[in-house]
Amino acid sequence: MENQNKKETIRVVLVDDQTMIRQGLGYVIKMQKDMEVSGEASNGEEAVKIVGEIIPDVVLMDVQMPNMSGIDATREITRLHPSIKVLILTTFDTYDYIVDGIRAGAVGYMLKDSDSQEMLDLIRRAHQGEALFYTATAAKALADALQFQQKNYESASHSDSDADFDSALPPLVMFDQLTARERDVLEQLSHGKRNDQIAQHLLISGGTVKTHIHRILQKMGVEDRTQAVAKAIRYKIVK
């Protein structure tokens, strides 16, 4: 019974070339009962190596670092370990950083001067599979990145050389299994909405939103919200 009630510990790796930043983030994280700092890295190359050894749940990734940038490190980590959630850590709310991070596979981003409670909330929600892009800059970056992905897919789908790629894609019948309400929730997910925002918009409870999302992921055969949105965009199920 005790093991059943014990909360899962979220294992976090901190990546930043500034020691004081890592120490500050680490101090806050270590104070949480459901989190631990499993490793640290001061550049992208170290990050890829350490993450490969530790296989954490979440990575807080700085952008500008020596040897290998945070964007390149994110791309390599998500390629090698798709289940690991990477949150981009930036100093500025910069469009290019955000859209590059999305394309590299990051599930969200946070500013270095964010409130500590907001940071902890982002880590927990990333671990649960949420995409975390809140500001207007991030919303535009997410929309543009998904549009870019859709255009690439459309181009590839009309190429004879990519016939095998098309045949390997799951049939559209998976979307026919979605209820009208599940499609509504999926549409809201594609706009980067949080669970509470979806609940408010659709006039349903937060628990109902979670249930719909769980069923959406099962029916679409994906692991998290980001994958669900990417697949829905790819098949033009949402705009």
Side-chain angles (χ1 to χ4, degrees), residues 90-108:
T90 67
T91 302
F92 304 104
D93 187 15
T94 305
Y95 179 91
D96 288 343
Y97 285 165
I98 298 168
V99 73
D100 287 346
I102 294 171
R103 290 174 178 168
V107 299

Side-chain angles (χ1 to χ4, degrees), residues 76-113:
E76 186 69 4
I77 288 170
T78 56
R79 181 183 70 82
L80 295 172
H81 315 286
S83 65
I84 295 176
K85 313 300 183 184
V86 180
L87 289 171
I88 295 295
L89 188 65
T90 67
T91 302
F92 304 104
D93 187 15
T94 305
Y95 179 91
D96 288 343
Y97 285 165
I98 298 168
V99 73
D100 287 346
I102 294 171
R103 290 174 178 168
V107 299
Y109 90 106
M110 60 177 290
L111 299 178
K112 289 185 178 180
D113 61 355

Side-chain angles (χ1 to χ4, degrees), residues 110-173:
M110 60 177 290
L111 299 178
K112 289 185 178 180
D113 61 355
S114 298
D115 179 85
S116 61
Q117 289 303 315
E118 180 182 2
M119 176 194 72
L120 296 172
D121 180 59
L122 290 177
I123 293 173
R124 292 187 177 102
R125 298 177 74 165
H127 181 239
Q128 293 171 0
E130 294 192 35
L132 306 157
F133 301 93
Y134 292 162
T135 70
T137 302
K140 176 171 172 51
L142 179 60
D144 289 350
L146 290 174
Q147 185 178 34
F148 175 84
Q149 180 185 39
Q150 179 179 338
K151 287 180 179 179
N152 277 359
Y153 169 73
E154 290 173 348
S155 175
S157 66
H158 291 86
S159 171
D160 293 337
S161 62
D162 289 323
D164 292 339
F165 173 75
D166 285 338
S167 63
L169 291 171
L172 288 175
V173 69

Side-chain angles (χ1 to χ4, degrees), residues 7 14 45 49-50 69 81 124 128 136 138 145 161 197 204 216 228 234 236:
K7 289 185 177 180
L14 306 176
E45 287 184 356
K49 181 176 183 295
I50 291 174
S69 74
H81 315 286
R124 292 187 177 102
Q128 293 171 0
S161 62
Q197 294 173 321
I204 56 180
I216 289 170
R234 174 182 298 170
K236 300 182 180 180

Side-chain angles (χ1 to χ4, degrees), residues 3-238:
N3 289 335
Q4 292 178 348
N5 294 331
K6 186 177 180 180
K7 289 185 177 180
E8 179 183 2
T9 300
I10 304 173
R11 304 169 71 240
V12 182
V13 164
L14 306 176
V15 184
D16 198 292
D17 60 343
Q18 298 184 47
T19 303
M20 289 184 64
I21 295 292
R22 297 199 308 274
Q23 290 176 340
L25 295 172
Y27 176 79
V28 175
I29 291 172
K30 291 173 183 177
M31 294 292 289
Q32 309 307 305
K33 293 182 179 180
D34 61 338
M35 297 182 190
E36 68 177 28
V37 176
S38 298
E40 297 183 17
S42 60
N43 60 63
E45 287 184 356
E46 286 183 7
V48 174
K49 181 176 183 295
I50 291 174
V51 167
E53 295 171 351
I54 297 175
I55 311 297
D57 300 302
V58 178
V59 178
L60 296 188
M61 180 73 71
D62 187 18
V63 175
Q64 294 184 330
M65 295 181 293
N67 299 335
M68 178 187 285
S69 74
I71 300 300
D72 290 337
T74 296
R75 185 176 297 107
E76 186 69 4
I77 288 170
T78 56
R79 181 183 70 82
L80 295 172
H81 315 286
S83 65
I84 295 176
K85 313 300 183 184
V86 180
L87 289 171
I88 295 295
L89 188 65
T90 67
T91 302
F92 304 104
D93 187 15
T94 305
Y95 179 91
D96 288 343
Y97 285 165
I98 298 168
V99 73
D100 287 346
I102 294 171
R103 290 174 178 168
V107 299
Y109 90 106
M110 60 177 290
L111 299 178
K112 289 185 178 180
D113 61 355
S114 298
D115 179 85
S116 61
Q117 289 303 315
E118 180 182 2
M119 176 194 72
L120 296 172
D121 180 59
L122 290 177
I123 293 173
R124 292 187 177 102
R125 298 177 74 165
H127 181 239
Q128 293 171 0
E130 294 192 35
L132 306 157
F133 301 93
Y134 292 162
T135 70
T137 302
K140 176 171 172 51
L142 179 60
D144 289 350
L146 290 174
Q147 185 178 34
F148 175 84
Q149 180 185 39
Q150 179 179 338
K151 287 180 179 179
N152 277 359
Y153 169 73
E154 290 173 348
S155 175
S157 66
H158 291 86
S159 171
D160 293 337
S161 62
D162 289 323
D164 292 339
F165 173 75
D166 285 338
S167 63
L169 291 171
L172 288 175
V173 69
M174 74 172 67
F175 295 107
D176 293 334
Q177 299 175 8
L178 297 178
T179 66
R181 180 56 82 187
E182 288 167 353
R183 284 172 177 261
D184 290 339
V185 171
L186 182 58
E187 184 77 32
Q188 294 300 305
L189 290 177
S190 72
H191 297 157
K193 296 292 184 63
R194 304 190 305 267
N195 284 12
D196 59 331
Q197 294 173 321
I198 295 174
Q200 183 177 10
H201 181 80
L202 298 179
L203 301 179
I204 56 180
S205 70
T208 300
V209 172
K210 289 183 179 180
T211 298
H212 284 315
I213 293 175
H214 177 69
R215 290 173 179 169
I216 289 170
L217 300 186
Q218 285 185 321
K219 292 178 180 180
M220 294 180 67
V222 295
E223 296 182 356
D224 57 43
R225 300 155 66 109
T226 304
Q227 292 179 10
V229 170
K231 185 172 287 188
I233 290 290
R234 174 182 298 170
Y235 284 105
K236 300 182 180 180
I237 302 304
V238 297

